[in-house]
Amino acid sequence: QVQLVESGGGSVQTGGSLTLSCASSQSIITFNHMAWFRQGPAHNQRELVAQAPTNAVPYYPDSMKGRFIISRDDAANTVTLQMNNLKPEDTAIYYCNASSWRGYDSWGQGTQVTVSS
């Protein structure tokens, strides 16, 4: 089974930036897409932050556009999430996701991001 390991989380003040990294034990080009999700303290479900399809342009939900950038390094089997102008509502556990061509999702353990006012 693929192992996904997130890193780079931490605590920042409003307006700060963080870059998260996800390292995959398996070649990421074997997946349909890589993505970042998050789950905030007041939410029961994980929400999509950014999606990076293999051989396609990234996708961002409307609510995420402008402050987040997802990038792939296929040779290194890593995916990063650059987060800028962070707000308290961005506080969440951020999860790396890999979705196979057959619809199977793999998840990392998550990394905590805390944004204070």
Side-chain angles (χ1 to χ4, degrees), residues 1-8 20-28 31 34-36 71 73 76-81 95-98 106-109:
Q1 300 295 325
V2 62
Q3 183 177 18
L4 305 174
V5 180
E6 303 98 333
S7 61
L20 308 181
S21 181
C22 172
S24 172
S25 66
Q26 181 177 320
S27 175
I28 64 173
F31 298 105
M34 305 296 295
W36 286 94
S71 300
D73 188 335
N77 297 316
T78 59
V79 182
T80 62
L81 180 69
Y95 296 90
C96 181
N97 164 261
S106 298
W107 300 91
Q109 81 286 352

Side-chain angles (χ1 to χ4, degrees), residues 1 4 23 28 35 37 47-49 56 71 82 84 86 94 98:
Q1 300 295 325
L4 305 174
I28 64 173
F37 286 73
E47 62 177 341
L48 177 66
V49 178
S71 300
Q82 184 178 358
N84 302 306
L86 286 165
Y94 285 72

Side-chain angles (χ1 to χ4, degrees), residues 1 18 59 76 81 101:
Q1 300 295 325
L18 283 174
Y59 167 79
L81 180 69
W101 294 97

Side-chain angles (χ1 to χ4, degrees), residues 59-107:
Y59 167 79
Y60 305 90
D62 287 342
S63 61
M64 305 296 176
K65 291 180 179 178
R67 299 187 299 114
F68 300 93
I69 301 173
I70 188 169
S71 300
R72 301 169 56 112
D73 188 335
D74 290 347
N77 297 316
T78 59
V79 182
T80 62
L81 180 69
Q82 184 178 358
M83 305 184 293
N84 302 306
N85 299 318
L86 286 165
K87 304 174 181 179
E89 52 262 43
D90 295 320
T91 295
I93 301 175
Y94 285 72
Y95 296 90
C96 181
N97 164 261
S99 184
S100 77
W101 294 97
R102 299 184 178 182
Y104 182 81
D105 287 317
S106 298
W107 300 91

